[in-house]
Amino acid sequence: MPAQRVTVIGAGIGGLTAAIELAARGCSVTVLERAAQPGGKMREVAVGTVRLDAGPTVLTLRGIFDAIFAAAGASLDTAVRLRPLDVLARHAWDAGGRLDLFADRARSAEAIAAFAGPAEGRRYLEFCTQAKRVFETLDAPFIRADRPSLLGLAGAFGPRRLGQLVQINPFESMWRALGRHFHDPRLQQLFGRYATYVGSSPFLAPATLMLVAHVEQAGVWQVEGGMHRLAAAMAKLATSRGAEIRYGADVLEITLARRAVTGVRLASGEQLPADAVIFNGDCAALATGRLGPAVAAAVPAPATRSLSAVTWLIEAECSGFPLHHHNVFFSRDYEAEFADLFRHRRLPKAPTVYVCAQDRGLGDGPILGRERLFCLVNAPATGDTRPLSDRDIEACTADAFALLERCGLRMSRTPERTRMVTPMDFERLFPATGGALYGQASHGWKASFERPGVRTRIAGLYLAGGSVHPGAGVPMAALSGRMAAAALMADRPSTVP
């Protein structure tokens, strides 16, 4: 039998994972990437005299990547250097107070007890137990399932274990559940932020998202040289196993015959035949016909877009606040912030600001001279329907950096060493999303079951990436790539002539 010809559209983490798995299994794999570098959202850009990560900054569940490299006969530790972070994140409030969370749960409990009282330290340990219970309950039957459903999930537990499913509070909002765990509103705010890891509001997301806390406690890793090094290493592994990656290749259309994939057509007019196609882009691009009207019915359009962002990539000297690698500066009114984002579809008047100090991590000491900073505030995904005005952006910038200054962080920003990215820019990078960075928002208990699986309604067309199951985030995108490759191989008799 001739090698199966597989075209992967997009060299993001999901697409690269699928390419590695399929090439290692003998498929003839071509990856088509519109950009000039691999990684998708895990991209790197030049600012001032340096290059910075401009996308994901947090790496968790490294075991998923160990498995990807091992399955291809390689070693993750040989490809990139990963360093576990001792301090998961540093948090600050302009009204006063600073709190570090540690990889060591006991140290975090002690820090919380000193910050908010001994009772809150004990409640934190109870919260950790619940977060672990949620993760372990959902890991195999939901997260790693090919296409989960509520009935399937209930069936996986059976009548005797349904109580275990009820104990993780799948129908309760994250914010309400956190209110039962913590009495200090600052802690409710801190742990509610995990909903934004999947581009959602803690007031609308299900309580099951508290599993993110357990994932972080299992290890947060710093990639030496930046997160983009991981994408580059995966691209190198894919090509070493026989995959071809073509950059600057803009796919105009996925072609079909008799409701089955036949290949793709590039913007240059070139036709590439394929027995199967894996689309590693946002599902909204398919649903809106960006890859041709013939495949628009392959997946439903997302019900509610996830968050976008306004980001600033900065090379600057800092003083005052003792930055760590991950830092969060909280707004005073979290509910108003998310009402602005999702109800009013506007930039928040008082945004929370995330800062990744990319040159800091283990053994942080004083940094002499300029350092690399990635700053982010959440924004509505309206880059295609309601573009932000210059006035909106100027006000957001002033509000964000005023908060940092109130918390003690001073930054020597200059225009020539600052690059801003808005929802409109993200829409241009990832068409049909409005700038949404996480696919569909995870609002309500049904949302988790509404994400498309890796199979579509069209024979030979598969999906990978953060907009499909199991969801947004670097490890989840990688899992989707593994699932897409496995589904394609399982369906092989029906997709190879």
Side-chain angles (χ1 to χ4, degrees), residues 417-438:
R417 290 193 173 94
T418 301
R419 179 170 174 177
M420 183 172 62
V421 185
T422 69
M424 295 83 80
D425 298 315
F426 287 123
E427 159 67 18
R428 285 189 285 272
L429 288 167
F430 313 110
T433 64
L437 297 174
Y438 314 88

Side-chain angles (χ1 to χ4, degrees), residues 93-95 312 329-332 349-351 353 377 394-411 413:
W93 290 260
D94 65 342
W312 297 267
F329 301 84
F330 283 106
S331 65
R332 296 187 181 185
K349 295 179 181 178
V353 184
V377 301
E394 289 169 4
C396 179
T397 302
D399 291 340
F401 287 94
L403 171 60
L404 298 183
E405 289 182 5
R406 289 197 301 272
C407 291
L409 178 60
R410 294 180 293 277
M411 204 181 288
R413 288 187 300 129

Side-chain angles (χ1 to χ4, degrees), residues 7 94 172 177-178 190 261 320-321 403 414:
T7 295
D94 65 342
E172 187 175 33
L178 289 171
L190 188 160
V261 163
F321 187 91
L403 171 60
T414 60

Side-chain angles (χ1 to χ4, degrees), residues 154-425:
F157 282 88
R160 294 183 180 180
R161 296 174 59 218
L162 276 179
Q164 186 178 343
L165 187 59
V166 173
Q167 286 178 359
I168 66 173
N169 302 320
F171 306 114
E172 187 175 33
S173 77
M174 189 178 191
W175 191 256
R176 183 173 180 180
L178 289 171
R180 288 189 291 100
H181 282 287
F182 299 107
H183 295 179
D184 189 313
R186 294 172 299 178
L187 296 177
Q188 192 176 2
Q189 188 179 31
L190 188 160
F191 292 103
R193 180 177 170 270
Y194 287 131
T196 66
Y197 281 33
V198 294
S200 303
S201 163
F203 299 93
L204 300 172
T208 50
L209 277 180
M210 67 174 60
L211 65 82
V212 177
H214 174 70
V215 168
E216 282 205 336
Q217 288 161 7
V220 174
W221 303 83
Q222 183 177 1
V223 183
E224 190 171 284
M227 291 284 284
H228 182 70
R229 298 295 181 274
L230 177 60
M234 293 180 72
K236 183 178 179 180
L237 179 59
T239 55
S240 74
R241 295 303 179 266
E244 178 188 7
I245 303 180
R246 294 175 55 179
Y247 298 106
D250 192 1
V251 178
L252 194 64
E253 180 183 15
I254 299 172
T255 57
L256 306 181
R258 298 177 183 177
R259 295 285 298 169
V261 163
T262 59
V264 301
R265 180 166 63 90
L266 303 184
S268 64
E270 181 182 0
Q271 300 270 357
L272 293 178
D275 302 310
V277 170
I278 296 177
F279 178 64
N280 177 215
D282 197 289
C283 292
L286 278 180
T288 55
R290 297 295 183 100
L291 279 297
V295 295
V299 292
T304 304
R305 286 173 170 174
S306 63
L307 290 168
S308 185
V310 175
T311 67
W312 297 267
L313 307 167
I314 306 169
E315 183 191 16
E317 293 184 14
C318 295
S319 60
F321 187 91
L323 290 168
H324 209 273
H325 191 70
H326 299 294
N327 311 270
V328 185
F329 301 84
F330 283 106
S331 65
R332 296 187 181 185
D333 191 339
Y334 223 35
E335 188 168 8
E337 181 176 353
F338 284 94
D340 279 342
L341 289 165
F342 283 104
R343 187 187 311 153
H344 304 300
R345 309 297 290 167
R346 65 191 181 199
L347 286 170
K349 295 179 181 178
T352 291
V353 184
Y354 166 74
V355 177
C356 178
Q358 295 187 12
D359 297 311
R360 300 181 185 236
L362 295 176
D364 282 332
I367 291 182
L368 302 177
R370 295 189 296 266
E371 59 183 301
R372 299 176 300 161
L373 304 164
F374 172 83
C375 305
L376 176 149
V377 301
N378 292 315
T382 57
D384 55 346
T385 58
R386 193 192 300 175
L388 301 176
S389 67
D390 291 342
R391 183 177 179 180
D392 292 332
I393 294 171
E394 289 169 4
C396 179
T397 302
D399 291 340
F401 287 94
L403 171 60
L404 298 183
E405 289 182 5
R406 289 197 301 272
C407 291
L409 178 60
R410 294 180 293 277
M411 204 181 288
S412 61
R413 288 187 300 129
T414 60
E416 63 271 16
R417 290 193 173 94
T418 301
R419 179 170 174 177
M420 183 172 62
V421 185
T422 69
M424 295 83 80
D425 298 315

